[in-house]
Amino acid sequence: MEELKEFFPFWDKLPPHWQEKLSAGVSRHTYPKGTLIHRGRQDCIGLLLILKGQARSYIITDDGRELTLFRLFERDICLFTASCVFNSIQFDIFISAEQDTQALHIPPDLFRQCMEDCAPAAMYANELMASGFSEVMWVLDQILSKKLDARLAAFLIEESDLRGTRSLDITHEQIANHLGSAREVITRMLKYFQSEGLVQLSRGHVTLTNESGLEAMAEGSVR
């Protein structure tokens, strides 16, 4: 499958028979917006390769709150969906489609065999795993070292950049799920932001009105 070559920089280093095996074993999936793609360690679907769309990776805290770890965009690869292949993944990560999403799956056993036989595949997987854990550690560091108002300001800036608009169609509950907070806390903080002229609130919408003020409040928390 020609699409795999676009995902894997080591593709040309694979023996032809492994190129054929991976091409034959990959499967294509379509996930409507809101679909839960991966449900933690017990749901080992293999490597997830995003063709189109956008997905969100998150954990669920002990008190039942969601906390976004990272986003997945076109041409991104997620190894955390192959938790049965990597013993280092000892926590449950959930993946949901934030937009209508098309993706490829490489079965876990197939990719495990490929890593065992082909050093370039194993090296690339290690690089992806290190990058993924770096993302997780960055989020945890933000939680431990940054105040929620700084994290909220950074989230609004990042979301505005991502969507290409200052008017965000997003609920307080959705923001709380991204930041691992309670809706009531986010509502109070957004009302404070509004009183400071940083945002304008309406039902289901947050409009950024002072981006430089939000950037100052974010205190370097914008990725």
Side-chain angles (χ1 to χ4, degrees):
M1 181 179 290
E2 188 66 24
E3 289 165 317
L4 292 179
K5 185 175 182 178
E6 299 179 16
F7 278 97
F8 296 135
F10 60 86
W11 184 258
D12 290 336
K13 297 180 182 179
L14 290 176
H17 71 278
W18 265 113
Q19 293 180 358
E20 294 174 4
K21 283 185 178 181
L22 291 175
S23 297
V26 72
S27 57
R28 184 186 297 266
H29 299 263
T30 298
Y31 299 102
K33 180 180 178 180
T35 302
L36 188 58
I37 299 173
H38 183 255
R39 301 172 176 80
R41 284 173 293 174
Q42 304 306 314
D43 188 22
C44 187
I45 63 176
L47 259 66
L48 179 69
L49 289 65
I50 304 296
L51 290 171
K52 294 181 180 179
Q54 178 180 315
R56 178 173 76 104
S57 169
Y58 63 95
I59 59 174
I60 298 178
T61 64
D62 290 341
D63 56 1
R65 296 174 183 170
E66 295 180 7
L67 174 63
T68 297
L69 298 177
F70 52 84
R71 303 277 185 65
L72 294 165
F73 303 98
E74 184 177 328
R75 292 294 179 263
D76 278 344
I77 301 175
C78 185
L79 291 180
F80 290 115
T81 51
S83 53
C84 54
V85 176
F86 302 96
N87 294 329
S88 55
I89 304 177
Q90 297 297 320
F91 51 95
D92 287 317
I93 288 183
F94 298 81
I95 309 286
S96 63
E98 288 195 309
Q99 300 175 1
D100 292 343
T101 299
Q102 295 179 17
L104 301 176
H105 290 189
I106 295 180
D109 289 341
L110 180 62
F111 193 71
R112 179 192 290 114
Q113 294 170 11
C114 183
M115 288 193 300
E116 291 173 351
D117 287 354
C118 306
M123 292 176 61
Y124 185 66
N126 288 335
E127 292 174 5
L128 286 177
M129 185 61 67
S131 176
F133 276 119
S134 293
E135 291 276 358
V136 173
M137 293 306 298
W138 188 90
V139 171
L140 295 179
D141 177 68
Q142 291 295 301
I143 294 173
L144 293 173
S145 64
K146 299 292 185 180
K147 295 180 180 179
L148 183 58
D149 58 354
R151 294 175 54 223
L152 175 57
F155 171 78
L156 293 175
I157 294 169
E158 291 173 356
E159 197 71 10
S160 175
D161 290 343
L162 179 62
R163 301 189 186 196
T165 177
R166 294 169 61 189
S167 180
L168 306 179
D169 180 13
I170 192 170
T171 67
H172 298 187
E173 181 72 25
Q174 289 172 321
I175 296 174
N177 286 340
H178 279 289
L179 298 178
S181 184
R183 179 186 58 78
E184 295 80 4
V185 174
I186 296 300
T187 296
R188 288 197 299 269
M189 197 158 290
L190 285 172
K191 287 182 178 179
Y192 168 70
F193 281 14
Q194 181 171 247
S195 71
E196 293 294 306
L198 300 174
V199 302
Q200 181 65 45
L201 304 177
S202 58
R203 186 175 182 84
H205 286 81
V206 178
T207 301
L208 280 60
T209 54
N210 185 348
E211 293 178 87
S212 60
L214 287 170
E215 288 173 357
M217 181 170 286
E219 299 177 349
S221 292
V222 179
R223 299 196 208 199

